[in-house]
């Protein structure tokens, strides 16, 4: 942007300053050449002679341009700057073959995210809002990066923080101390609500469907919308649906159940297990069951019903009592109490192995 010249000082003041500059301080002193700067940074709202020229002497404090807007940079052709300086009595300038002079207005920038975080922290735990990280803010006016004069060196300190639970409205004010002794005041208004992470379906699912990783994503939803029975993603993946749910709906803990590893009338493997012995046979489940459930199974070969624990998909395990020491009742006959129990629970074995 082009910098706009200020009103020139009165001619008689310029003449006096010119005379002061032309006359050496002491007889015999060598003249000091003013040197133009290519890049200039200023913190005030005006650009002075001393900002753009080294060795300006008594003329350094004369204002010659309005500074650019806070946090922005403007530029001027060297010829224009030299003419402006000469009009103020600065002559014999060494331009060092510079083509243009750039002027940057220094500023303190407060990013919009920093403002949002400060407002959320000011409202934290007020009237049931909870942690700042879970507060979702909607401002009445779009919050943009804020540029302040560099003299504003203080932190954003909340002076008032009001929240009305009935309508979700907030009103928060801040104060930033500066070098001028007149703190900068900031005020933000809008609506606030508490959000939580919830598991959301990416597709329609039916009852008894097993959820896969691709079926569930995490989204932040208003707590008032989803309630307190929300399911986390890690709780949902691999679980079985108790009811049909549409895509985009959040999942509740009540919607999920451990998947049935055994279903009624399903052919299952029945495992008879005891110390040092592992026997398997085929059966038909008479109940549905998830891992750890006790279900009834029809032994297909013996036609007897036994009960066991679901230990895997299509697998029911029956723990058999550990065999007792052999009791000799007749020199030609050996029997153990456990042998009868195993025989009762075991039809002819289809496969076996020793542990």
């Amino acid at each position: 942007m082009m910098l706009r010249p200020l009103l020139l000082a009165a001619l008689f003041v310029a003449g006096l300053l010119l005379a002061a500059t032309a006359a050496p301080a002491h007889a015999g002193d060598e003249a000091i050449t003013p040197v133009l700067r290519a890049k200039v940074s200023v913190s005030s709202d005006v650009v002075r002679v001393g900002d753009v020229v080294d060795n300006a002497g008594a003329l350094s404090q004369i204002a010659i341009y309005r500074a650019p807007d806070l946090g922005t940079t403007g530029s001027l052709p060297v010829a224009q700057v030299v003419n402006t300086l000469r009009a103020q009595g600065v002559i014999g300038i060494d331009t060092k073959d510079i083509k243009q002079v750039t002027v940057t207005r220094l500023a303190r920038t407060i990013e919009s995210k920093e403002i949002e975080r400060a407002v959320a922290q000011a409202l934290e735990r007020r009237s049931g809002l909870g942690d700042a990280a879970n507060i979702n803010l909607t401002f009445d006016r779009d919050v943009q990066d804020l540029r302040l004069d560099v003299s504003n060196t203080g932190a954003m300190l909340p002076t008032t923080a009001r929240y009305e639970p009935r309508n979700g409205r907030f009103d928060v004010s801040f104060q930033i101390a500066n070098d001028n002794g007149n703190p900068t005041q900031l005020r933000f208004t809008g609506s606030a609500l508490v959000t939580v992470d919830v598991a959301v379906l990416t597709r329609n699912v039916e009852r008894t469907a097993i959820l896969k990783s691709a079926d569930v994503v995490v989204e932040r939803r208003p707590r008032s919308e989803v309630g307190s029975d929300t399911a986390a993603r890690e709780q949902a993946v691999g679980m079985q649906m108790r009811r049909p749910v549409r895509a985009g709906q959040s999942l509740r803990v009540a919607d999920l159940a451990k998947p049935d590893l055994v279903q009624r009338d399903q052919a299952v493997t029945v495992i008879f297990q005891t110390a040092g012995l592992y026997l398997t046979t085929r059966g038909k489940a008479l109940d549905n069951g998830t891992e750890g459930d006790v279900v009834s199974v029809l032994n297909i070969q013996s036609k007897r019903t036994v009960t066991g624990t679901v230990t895997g998909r299509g697998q029911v395990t029956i723990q058999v009592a550990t065999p007792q020491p052999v009791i000799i009742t007749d020199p030609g006959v050996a029997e153990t109490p456990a042998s009868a129990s195993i025989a009762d629970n075991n039809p002819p074995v289809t496969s076996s192995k020793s542990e």
Side-chain angles (χ1 to χ4, degrees), residues 43 57 197 205 218 300 315 327 350:
S43 57
D197 285 333
V205 293
V218 176
I300 295 176
Q315 178 177 294
I327 301 173
T350 57

Side-chain angles (χ1 to χ4, degrees), residues 14-344:
L16 291 174
L17 291 172
L18 177 59
T21 304
H26 300 284
D29 285 350
E30 295 183 0
I32 300 176
T33 302
V35 179
L36 191 65
R37 296 174 181 168
K39 295 182 179 181
V40 177
S41 296
V42 297
S43 57
S44 68
D45 57 355
V46 295
V47 180
R48 305 178 189 278
V49 171
D51 294 325
V52 298
V53 176
D54 290 325
N55 307 324
L59 303 176
S60 295
Q61 296 304 311
I62 296 178
I64 54 175
Y65 293 107
R66 293 192 183 279
D69 293 336
L70 287 167
T72 64
T73 299
S75 62
L76 284 170
V78 166
Q80 182 178 339
V81 176
V82 170
N83 290 336
T84 301
L85 291 170
R86 283 176 178 169
Q88 299 299 328
V90 184
I91 59 176
I93 303 169
D94 182 0
T95 62
K96 293 185 178 181
D97 296 325
I98 298 170
K99 303 301 180 183
Q100 66 177 11
V101 175
T102 60
V103 181
T104 299
R105 175 80 176 277
L106 300 176
R108 175 186 175 183
T109 300
I110 303 177
E111 296 183 351
S112 58
K113 290 183 178 179
E114 183 179 350
I115 295 173
E116 292 176 8
R117 183 166 55 250
V119 172
Q121 290 173 347
L123 295 172
E124 188 172 41
R125 296 187 179 86
R126 287 182 178 270
S127 302
L129 279 177
D131 295 338
N134 295 329
I135 300 176
N136 180 266
L137 301 173
T138 302
F139 291 84
D140 291 336
R141 294 183 179 180
D142 290 340
V143 177
Q144 300 179 348
D145 293 351
L146 180 65
R147 291 189 176 94
L148 302 175
D149 191 277
V150 290
S151 64
N152 291 275
T153 56
M156 285 184 62
L157 299 178
T159 54
T160 60
R162 300 185 181 92
Y163 174 71
E164 178 51 62
R166 290 177 297 178
N167 55 20
R169 297 286 300 170
F170 71 82
D171 186 338
V172 179
S173 297
F174 295 91
Q175 178 175 284
I176 300 177
N178 55 38
D179 299 338
N180 303 324
N182 185 22
T184 297
Q185 306 292 333
L186 302 174
R187 182 186 178 191
F188 303 95
T189 60
S191 300
L193 54 84
V194 179
T195 61
V196 293
D197 285 333
V198 295
V200 178
L201 289 175
T202 60
R203 66 180 181 89
N204 297 339
V205 293
E206 300 298 328
R207 181 178 176 276
T208 73
I210 305 299
L211 296 179
K212 300 178 182 179
S213 179
D215 297 333
V216 187
V217 295
V218 176
E219 293 183 4
R220 293 198 71 85
R221 297 282 179 88
R223 185 176 63 186
S224 58
E225 174 187 311
V226 299
S228 59
D229 187 30
T230 57
R233 185 177 186 275
E234 56 270 21
Q235 290 178 295
V237 175
M239 299 295 279
Q240 181 174 306
M241 297 298 300
R242 293 182 183 272
R243 66 183 182 92
V245 178
R246 293 182 179 180
Q249 287 187 271
S250 59
L251 290 170
R252 300 178 303 163
V253 173
D255 296 330
L256 307 172
K258 289 184 178 180
D260 288 336
L261 300 180
V262 170
Q263 296 183 346
R264 182 181 176 87
D265 296 330
Q266 175 188 354
V268 297
T269 299
V270 182
I271 301 171
F272 294 89
Q273 188 171 354
T274 188
L277 188 62
Y278 184 95
L279 306 175
T280 64
T281 188
R282 303 300 296 171
K284 183 175 74 171
L286 302 180
D287 304 303
N288 293 339
T290 186
E291 185 175 7
D293 287 349
V294 176
V295 296
S296 298
V297 178
L298 176 65
N299 189 316
I300 295 176
Q301 295 185 8
S302 68
K303 305 303 180 184
R304 296 187 60 182
T305 298
V306 294
T307 58
T309 303
V310 177
T311 53
R313 189 168 297 281
Q315 178 177 294
V316 178
T317 299
I318 299 173
Q319 294 289 340
V320 181
T322 302
Q324 299 298 314
V326 175
I327 301 173
I328 305 298
T329 58
D330 186 272
V333 179
E335 183 180 10
T336 66
S339 62
S341 174
I342 295 177
D344 288 342

